[in-house]
Amino acid sequence: MIAQRTTITPDPVVILENAFQDPYNNAVATARTCYSSQVIHAADVSKDDATRARRDAIAQSIYKAGHHTTIQHATFQFVLDKVSRQVIWSFLHSHPFYNSEQVSQRYVEMKPENFTIPALQEEHVERYTQAINELMEAYKELSRLLEPTVVKEFKRLFPVRNLEEKRWKSAIKKRCQEVARYVLPVATHAHLYHTISGLTLHRYHRLAEQFDVPLEQKIIIGKMVEAVNRFDPEFFKNIEDSLPLEQTLEYQVLQTFDENARCCWPKAFIREFDRDLGDLSSRLIDYKTNSETVLAQSVRSVMGVPQSAMSDKEAIDWVLNPAKNPYLSESLNLTSLSKLTRTLVHPHFTFKKKISHTADSQDQRHRMTPASRPVLIRQVLWDEPDYIVPVLIKETPEALELYQTVMKRLWEHMSTLVNGGESETNVSYLLPNAFPIRFEESGDLLNFHHKWTHRLCYTAQEEIWKTSQEEVLQIQKIFPQIGKYFGAPCWMRQEAGVRPFCPEGDRFCGVTVWKLPVSKYRRLV
């Protein structure tokens, strides 16, 4: 009989750090306020047995009817620790209704003991742990091998700096580990603050057992619900049971296909996807054809101006030219509140993308440019290495040789585990940060503008910077009246006359990017 571990180790840590006062009573009070001549307060719905009975009946009724905005007022802030990068990417950050502040692998050195071991078969724990240890050693060695290349580039960019100063040595170290992290497994731990509404927590609980890491998700969400129950035992009075994995939509779709065909599909899918993508990381595949015309007309509509008084060119200039629109150079994003800049919601774009797991973990933080991300094991070839190579590694021959050797060895470990009967879900924890995620992403101009502006900065993560450049250049070709207004934050500030042009202080990239068109953007670090 095969010995199977029943849980993950170490146990994830979940702490309810802050919570909305009296969440259950408040939810009912907000519901009653909708039909009352005066505001109903939380205390009003719980002052005696009669009002509490009425409260419970209302709570049950509105929940069953789907009127769930009442439980969206309550907010809960959790501290999460010893959770995998995989569960954060796959579940906690896969939707728009949350806020997180998470430890950065770009700026904080990862420790070799901080990783999750899934519920493996006992005979596979040793190989799994060996693979993790090899990746952690490679992470340290890559950091060392990359340093001469980074130092050389820093000397070119900052010829007068004393790179022996503590702050610059620290900056160089961070650049090295930012790229070295591509070999780290998605089992690597993170700690974070994670804030969600009561409604989102209800949704979490209902779908806690879906792909990609149902057991870890179930444990974390279960602890969240338990913590809120201790704070207010009434709040989850009407909570629904979690759907088992077998009842989730994705699982049921997979069951409708022949197993032999399913096993062959990932290779065919990857070949097809990459062929369509060509030599780009992000390809524009759909858009509203009349984007410029509609944008211009919406500007005139907001201001009540006929076309004879404002041309399309003038209208677009008012909302997208940072010299005229001061909101575009503000550090606080005001565009969703301004009547005029809300016109930017009308143009819409869809991109086909292929970026690494670690890049997508940042890309998905742009919650208003959502994407349909995959059931991850459906994109893995367990017998064929598949990974993104950062530019800095390509430019460092010794690092590239090590990187390729490590990836080859990792895939050997994973293939052995899968062929030995281990579940693909468990083995997927070994996938490196470099593993490519293939998906489609859509959004409107208002939110892409915010994303592109910030991610065209040379301090942005390399892959997201690259895809932002590719996306902007494609928009410029199709919609030149819109596309000519895109650039890094320093370009926006320069056009608006805001000084200093670079808002990054000591983090200045060393390049006068505000003088360059997007087509001329180039960077190594």
Side-chain angles (χ1 to χ4, degrees):
M1 182 176 179
I2 298 174
Q4 181 82 40
R5 300 167 79 250
T6 58
T7 190
I8 63 173
T9 55
D11 197 30
V13 175
V14 177
I15 300 169
L16 180 60
E17 188 76 2
N18 287 295
F20 192 89
Q21 183 179 351
D22 208 1
Y24 180 67
N25 288 333
N26 177 268
V28 177
T30 62
R32 285 184 54 187
T33 295
C34 294
Y35 303 98
S36 173
S37 60
Q38 61 186 13
V39 174
I40 305 298
H41 297 279
D44 298 330
V45 305
S46 59
K47 57 189 176 184
D48 54 39
D49 289 344
T51 55
R52 284 192 290 273
R54 184 185 180 194
R55 173 201 66 185
D56 293 346
I58 291 172
Q60 184 180 53
S61 172
I62 60 177
Y63 185 88
K64 288 183 176 180
H67 303 311
H68 295 156
T69 56
T70 59
I71 56 176
Q72 195 172 11
H73 293 281
T75 301
F76 305 103
Q77 183 189 59
F78 297 94
V79 168
L80 306 180
D81 197 4
K82 302 186 188 309
V83 297
S84 74
R85 296 275 168 168
Q86 177 72 332
V87 78
I88 295 171
W89 171 82
S90 179
F91 193 86
L92 297 177
H93 289 175
S94 65
H95 65 99
F97 305 112
Y98 72 92
N99 190 39
S100 286
E101 307 302 332
Q102 172 186 335
V103 62
S104 171
Q105 285 188 338
R106 295 181 72 190
Y107 303 122
V108 179
E109 183 177 357
M110 297 295 105
K111 303 301 181 184
E113 66 274 12
N114 292 338
F115 63 90
T116 292
I117 302 178
L120 299 161
Q121 297 174 22
E122 287 290 352
E123 65 183 277
H124 294 153
V125 173
E126 183 178 356
R127 179 175 285 275
Y128 177 92
T129 306
Q130 179 185 352
I132 293 278
N133 290 337
E134 289 174 5
L135 294 175
M136 293 295 182
E137 285 298 316
Y139 168 68
K140 291 194 298 183
E141 181 62 10
L142 271 176
S143 293
R144 186 187 68 80
L145 292 174
L146 292 170
E147 185 174 347
T149 306
V150 174
V151 168
K152 181 180 178 181
E153 182 67 3
F154 263 59
K155 286 180 178 178
R156 184 185 72 82
L157 294 170
F158 311 107
V160 300
R161 283 184 183 176
N162 178 7
L163 299 185
E164 292 302 313
E165 286 185 26
K166 182 178 179 181
R167 58 176 172 166
W168 305 131
K169 290 181 72 172
S170 175
I172 290 168
K173 178 183 178 182
K174 288 173 181 176
R175 291 288 182 169
C176 294
Q177 66 192 24
E178 175 183 352
V179 175
R181 70 185 166 136
Y182 273 69
V183 298
L184 291 174
V186 298
T188 306
H189 285 159
H191 53 262
L192 64 153
Y193 280 98
H194 189 67
T195 303
I196 53 176
S197 71
L199 174 56
T200 296
L201 188 49
H202 269 274
R203 292 168 174 166
Y204 275 12
H205 184 263
R206 185 69 169 149
L207 283 179
E209 296 183 50
Q210 70 174 0
F211 290 111
D212 290 288
V213 281
L215 179 55
E216 186 175 7
Q217 291 160 190
K218 181 179 180 180
I219 292 170
I220 293 169
I221 306 311
K223 289 188 173 190
M224 286 181 169
V225 171
E226 289 172 8
V228 173
N229 269 332
R230 288 192 296 270
F231 178 76
D232 183 351
E234 306 281 358
F235 186 73
F236 286 118
K237 185 170 283 189
N238 297 299
I239 197 169
E240 298 178 68
D241 292 337
S242 296
L243 287 173
L245 175 64
E246 293 76 16
Q247 291 182 26
T248 62
L249 176 62
E250 295 80 6
Y251 185 93
Q252 291 183 0
V253 169
L254 287 175
Q255 303 317 300
T256 64
F257 299 109
D258 177 74
E259 175 64 27
N260 291 326
R262 280 183 14 222
C263 291
C264 300
W265 283 353
K267 185 169 291 189
F269 161 78
I270 289 170
R271 184 168 58 247
E272 181 180 281
F273 190 98
D274 290 358
R275 181 196 65 216
D276 293 345
L277 197 58
D279 59 356
L280 294 174
S281 299
S282 182
R283 182 175 293 279
L284 180 64
I285 59 172
D286 195 20
Y287 52 86
K288 291 184 177 180
T289 55
N290 296 318
S291 289
E292 291 181 338
T293 303
V294 172
L295 173 58
Q297 180 54 52
S298 66
V299 170
R300 291 191 289 266
S301 296
V302 169
M303 301 310 299
V305 177
Q307 189 171 10
S308 60
M310 183 186 288
S311 68
D312 286 3
K313 183 177 179 180
E314 290 171 322
I316 293 172
D317 194 57
W318 271 113
V319 290
L320 282 176
N321 186 346
K324 289 186 175 180
N325 184 351
Y327 300 154
L328 300 180
S329 57
E330 291 236 3
S331 60
L332 195 62
N333 184 8
L334 303 174
T335 54
S336 63
L337 293 177
S338 161
K339 290 180 183 293
L340 267 178
T341 52
R342 276 202 295 266
T343 60
L344 300 176
V345 302
H346 300 301
H348 197 272
F349 314 104
T350 298
F351 294 92
K352 180 188 286 281
K353 305 184 74 163
K354 173 186 172 182
I355 56 177
S356 69
H357 192 292
T358 195
D360 192 41
S361 294
Q362 292 190 40
D363 187 75
Q364 69 179 180
R365 299 300 300 277
H366 291 275
R367 284 154 283 190
M368 301 309 293
T369 55
S372 49
R373 292 178 170 87
V375 174
L376 197 56
I377 58 175
R378 298 300 305 151
Q379 292 194 6
V380 182
L381 305 178
W382 299 109
D383 60 347
E384 188 174 317
D386 187 16
Y387 53 87
I388 300 293
V389 183
V391 173
L392 189 61
I393 289 180
K394 290 179 182 178
E395 294 297 318
T396 311
E398 284 185 275
L400 179 60
E401 183 179 1
L402 173 63
Y403 190 74
Q404 293 171 331
T405 300
V406 168
M407 293 300 177
K408 183 175 183 293
R409 176 64 174 156
L410 172 61
W411 253 263
E412 290 172 355
H413 283 306
M414 293 192 296
S415 177
T416 299
L417 289 169
V418 170
N419 291 334
E422 189 56 68
S423 79
E424 292 182 319
T425 294
N426 287 341
V427 179
S428 71
Y429 277 92
L430 285 176
L431 287 170
N433 278 335
F435 183 75
I437 311 297
R438 296 169 171 90
F439 61 97
E440 283 72 34
E441 180 177 87
S442 294
D444 57 46
L445 177 56
L446 184 146
N447 289 293
F448 268 123
H449 185 282
H450 175 73
K451 177 181 179 180
W452 290 332
T453 298
H454 287 273
R455 295 300 185 171
L456 284 172
C457 176
Y458 277 32
T459 63
Q461 198 272 351
E462 176 209 323
E463 284 184 78
I464 302 179
W465 173 84
K466 179 185 176 186
T467 58
S468 294
Q469 183 189 35
E470 291 177 351
E471 289 161 7
V472 164
L473 292 177
Q474 291 172 82
I475 298 299
Q476 287 180 340
K477 286 183 179 179
I478 300 171
F479 301 114
Q481 291 304 314
I482 289 175
K484 68 181 181 180
Y485 295 109
F486 294 126
C490 57
W491 178 85
M492 293 285 176
R493 291 164 66 92
Q494 184 260 339
E495 290 293 301
V498 177
R499 292 180 179 272
F501 298 154
C502 174
E504 294 293 326
D506 281 351
R507 295 183 298 275
F508 172 51
C509 67
V511 180
T512 54
V513 181
W514 57 85
K515 296 180 180 180
L516 302 174
V518 176
S519 60
K520 299 294 185 182
Y521 286 10
R522 302 287 187 274
R523 56 177 282 203
L524 178 59
V525 296

